[in-house]
């Protein structure tokens, strides 16, 4: 048996050979693979030389395959079908997906968005599991390594190279206090804001915030009486004290009755919270991740549209 040196074969000739063996006509085979008739004739000559067999010989009514060609045809078709199948982009079907997605979020996003997201995921993709995880200083490393799929953030969150963000909606900041607070129902100035003790939330353990930077621009500072790691804790604390906090309006409205809270507008020119989802740029073509992002947008619409914010259309 003659051994064929694979390195000597131009693999671009294999689709031409398949078409020739199927059509048994140079002109029709050339049309099938997008070659001219002369180019297909040259391809046939090269194949004959490489395989050491005429492959197709003239007969009455066209070209007839040699015994070698007849034996080769089904194997070649199966081989090329396998290659095409391996390279073909798989059809994405969430109903049959088995996957766990990990999402970094604060308790605010978990409370506001996760319930509706879970409802949608359970209906469309029952094999998908969601893991909401805490933030951390290794956030960027976890995204780049693929151990985190998505991260809830605000639009001004600094992004390192290789990371992209998609807008999902707009929330608003609300100034929150207990319903019986002496300043409830009033319009606040920056001086009023600085005169009251505050409860803040620190996700990364940072001592300051963008709000403090805004107050510094206005020439005032505030006293932070308590710093909590969770937004729900901040609401509970202001509901039981004369302190105030500035958090998501959607979250504060959801729990205003439970904690007996009053909401006011903060004394800021731009109280908008532009919410985004952060992910690795290398995964922008992942159909499952794109599908999940769209489901998050839909869940965000339910959370933000009735709180003075706005969800991003899908």
């Amino acid at each position: 048996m003659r051994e064929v040196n694979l390195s000597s074969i131009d693999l671009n000739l294999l689709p031409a050979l398949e078409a020739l063996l199927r059509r048994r006509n140079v002109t029709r085979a050339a049309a099938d693979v997008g070659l001219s008739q002369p180019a297909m004739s040259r391809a046939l000559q090269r194949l004959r030389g490489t395989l050491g067999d005429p492959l197709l010989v003239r007969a009455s009514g066209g070209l007839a395959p040699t015994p070698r060609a007849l034996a080769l045809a089904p194997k070649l078709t199966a081989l090329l079908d396998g290659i095409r199948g391996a390279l073909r982009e798989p059809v994405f079907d969430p109903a049959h997906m088995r996957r766990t997605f990990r999402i970094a979020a604060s308790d605010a996003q978990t409370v506001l968005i996760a319930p509706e997201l879970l409802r949608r995921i359970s209906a469309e993709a029952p094999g998908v599991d969601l893991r909401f995880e805490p933030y951390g200083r290794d956030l960027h490393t976890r995204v780049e390594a693929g151990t985190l799929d998505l991260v809830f953030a605000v639009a001004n969150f600094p992004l390192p190279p290789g990371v992209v963000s998609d807008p999902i909606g707009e929330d608003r900041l609300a100034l929150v206090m207990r319903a019986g607070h002496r300043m409830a129902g009033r319009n606040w100035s920056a001086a009023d804001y600085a005169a009251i003790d505050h409860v803040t939330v620190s996700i990364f353990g940072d001592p300051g915030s963008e709000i403090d930077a805004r107050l510094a621009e206005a020439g005032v500072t505030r006293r932070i009486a308590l710093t909590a790691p969770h937004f729900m804790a901040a609401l509970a604390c202001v509901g039981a004290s004369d302190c105030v906090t500035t958090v998501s309006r959607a979250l504060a409205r959801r729990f205003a009755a439970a904690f007996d809270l009053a909401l006011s507008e903060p004394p800021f020119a731009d109280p908008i919270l532009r919410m985004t989802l952060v992910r690795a740029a290398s995964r922008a073509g992942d159909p499952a991740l794109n599908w999940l992002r769209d489901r998050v947008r839909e869940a965000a619409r339910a959370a933000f549209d009735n709180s003075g914010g706005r969800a991003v259309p899908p």
Side-chain angles (χ1 to χ4, degrees):
M1 177 184 292
R2 180 188 175 192
E3 195 71 30
V4 176
N5 182 5
L6 287 178
S7 63
S8 68
I9 297 178
D10 182 354
L11 297 181
N12 291 318
L13 294 175
L14 296 184
L17 177 57
E18 180 197 30
L20 284 165
L21 297 179
R22 176 167 36 84
R23 288 292 196 175
R24 302 181 186 182
N25 181 287
V26 172
T27 302
R28 292 174 186 159
D32 284 355
V33 296
L35 293 176
S36 66
Q37 191 273 341
M40 181 58 85
S41 295
R42 290 192 296 271
L44 178 56
Q45 291 303 317
R46 292 178 62 191
L47 286 162
R48 286 168 170 165
T50 300
L51 298 176
D53 189 271
L55 298 174
L56 294 164
V57 297
R58 293 194 180 279
S60 60
L63 297 175
T66 65
R68 174 78 184 281
L70 287 173
L72 184 60
K75 298 177 182 178
L76 180 61
T77 299
L79 172 65
L80 292 179
D81 284 346
I83 294 174
R84 293 185 186 106
L87 298 179
R88 186 180 301 119
E89 184 175 353
V91 176
F92 173 67
D93 182 3
H96 294 93
M97 179 167 47
R98 298 292 182 271
R99 186 163 169 179
T100 297
F101 291 101
R102 290 174 169 79
I103 306 171
S106 71
D107 62 317
Q109 289 97 29
T110 306
V111 168
L112 288 171
I113 297 176
E116 177 63 15
L117 178 61
L118 179 61
R119 186 188 71 79
R120 294 174 182 272
I121 297 296
S122 299
E124 294 183 38
V128 166
D129 297 327
L130 299 175
R131 299 284 184 270
F132 277 69
E133 301 182 359
Y135 295 101
R137 293 194 177 278
D138 61 345
L139 194 62
H140 297 157
T141 301
R142 290 154 67 196
V143 171
E144 291 173 357
T147 57
L148 269 181
D149 297 293
L150 296 171
V151 178
F152 281 101
V154 290
N156 60 355
F157 183 76
L159 300 180
V163 174
V164 296
S165 65
D166 300 305
I168 61 168
E170 291 182 355
D171 197 356
R172 292 179 65 86
L173 286 171
L175 178 56
V176 186
M177 65 208 78
R178 65 181 180 85
H181 197 284
R182 62 183 177 84
M183 293 290 287
R186 300 187 185 182
N187 292 326
W188 287 55
S189 65
D192 295 328
Y193 191 84
I196 303 294
D197 290 346
H198 287 253
V199 173
T200 63
V201 177
S202 178
I203 295 174
F204 295 101
D206 298 327
S209 70
E210 184 183 355
I211 290 176
D212 294 291
R214 295 188 187 191
L215 292 175
E217 292 175 357
V220 296
T221 59
R222 62 175 175 170
R223 176 177 180 263
I224 298 175
L226 184 145
T227 299
H230 306 296
F231 289 95
M232 290 295 293
L235 293 180
C237 288
V238 300
S241 70
D242 284 332
C243 294
V244 299
T245 191
T246 308
V247 297
S248 153
R249 175 174 289 275
L251 183 70
R253 288 186 62 172
R254 176 77 63 87
F255 294 97
F259 293 116
D260 194 23
L261 302 173
L263 278 65
S264 294
E265 286 291 324
F268 307 139
D270 182 14
I272 303 298
L273 286 173
R274 295 170 179 86
M275 305 302 301
T276 66
L277 278 179
V278 174
R279 58 178 168 167
S282 60
R283 303 182 64 190
D286 183 340
L289 204 55
N290 291 335
W291 167 83
L292 179 62
R293 175 203 58 197
D294 292 340
R295 300 294 86 75
V296 173
R297 281 178 171 166
E298 294 166 358
R301 178 179 296 104
F304 299 147
D305 275 357
N306 295 322
S307 65
R310 180 176 64 86
V312 173

